[in-house]
Amino acid sequence: MLVKFCGLTRQEDADQAVRLGARMGGFIFHPRSPRGVRPETAAALDTGPLLRVGVFVEQDAEEIRAIMAAARLDLAQLHGGQSVECAQAVGAERVIRVLWPERYSHRALLYTALRRHAEACAYYLLDAGVKGGGSGRRLEWPDLCCLRAPHPWLLAGGLGPGNVRAALSMCAPCGVDFNSGVEDAPGRKNADKMAAAVAAANPKGNGNMS
């Protein structure tokens, strides 16, 4: 089980993510997001051993690669309509492909989408709604029970200390993505909520899920 904290904008939140044993830290490069940061801001944040993830919505492969270099990123989370060809140009081993299960009226259609992107990503992230992210909405977790994806997948969508344990009892992702559910305001994480969320996701462990 891996933990990702997305929408990082402050050093103290990155430090807390490291202390809690998170595997990934996410930075949003979307100018209309309240959690958006510039590449130089992300580059200045020390994230220690975290895999650094950039969330991209409208950028093409050339711009994504440039921002990844400038912000010292390890992975690109494609959160828009980027094509398979775009992902391949970024590098399949560096791509987290976001999919929205609510777009698909049947499980078979979701499987088709997972397979379509399999050669152009290393991870999937399944989010609530039909586009965007960070809204606080949650998925219908039982619908994802026994999901067999070609690559590891992360569960997102309004997860926090009050509901992540329930989510994990209904489906079995390889990781969880915390964002709005551990915030006091967009881009301002709450250290206690972050710790409680990790503890709830890993009740039998020691808090370190990396």
Side-chain angles (χ1 to χ4, degrees), residues 10 38 40-41 43 48 50 59 84 99 101 111 113 121 125 140 153 158-159 168 179 181-182:
R10 307 187 301 172
R38 297 181 61 82
E40 58 268 28
T41 301
L50 297 182
Q59 297 92 339
V84 169
L99 294 174
Y111 279 132
C121 69
L125 185 144
E140 292 298 324
W153 66 279
L159 295 175
L168 296 178
N179 191 351
V182 294

Side-chain angles (χ1 to χ4, degrees), residues 2-199:
L2 66 86
V3 167
K4 174 174 175 280
F5 285 106
C6 198
L8 297 176
T9 65
R10 307 187 301 172
Q11 185 61 53
E12 56 261 46
D13 298 335
D15 291 343
Q16 177 69 338
V18 172
R19 282 192 293 269
L20 293 172
R23 178 80 64 83
M24 299 178 179
F27 305 98
I28 297 174
F29 299 100
H30 185 49
R32 293 193 295 275
S33 170
R35 303 173 182 87
V37 295
R38 297 181 61 82
E40 58 268 28
T41 301
L45 292 175
D46 180 4
T47 54
L50 297 182
L51 289 173
R52 296 167 62 87
V53 181
V55 176
F56 299 98
V57 179
E58 297 175 345
Q59 297 92 339
D60 61 17
E62 182 177 359
E63 187 175 0
I64 290 169
R65 290 196 301 262
I67 292 173
M68 291 184 75
R72 303 187 293 108
L73 302 181
D74 301 295
L75 295 162
Q77 182 173 308
L78 302 187
H79 226 288
Q82 293 97 342
S83 65
V84 169
E85 292 74 21
C86 173
Q88 290 171 332
V90 172
E93 73 283 357
R94 302 201 295 168
V95 169
I96 301 173
R97 170 62 68 171
V98 179
L99 294 174
W100 295 267
E102 292 175 38
R103 287 186 175 182
Y104 308 99
S105 58
H106 192 276
R107 175 71 73 89
L109 297 175
L110 175 58
Y111 279 132
T112 297
L114 290 167
R115 289 194 299 271
R116 184 170 66 249
H117 293 285
E119 294 184 1
C121 69
Y123 300 90
Y124 302 99
L125 185 144
L126 303 187
D127 205 353
V130 295
K131 63 179 182 179
S135 66
R137 292 185 57 192
R138 70 176 183 85
L139 283 165
E140 292 298 324
W141 303 313
D143 291 347
L144 302 175
C145 178
C146 302
L147 181 69
R148 294 184 299 276
H151 299 298
W153 66 279
L154 284 70
L155 179 68
L159 295 175
N163 63 12
V164 68
R165 190 175 302 179
L168 296 178
S169 73
M170 298 180 202
C171 62
C174 302
V176 288
D177 184 305
F178 295 114
N179 191 351
S180 60
V182 294
E183 289 182 332
D184 290 327
R188 299 181 65 85
K189 302 291 188 274
N190 178 296
D192 292 335
K193 291 179 182 178
M194 293 172 72
V198 171

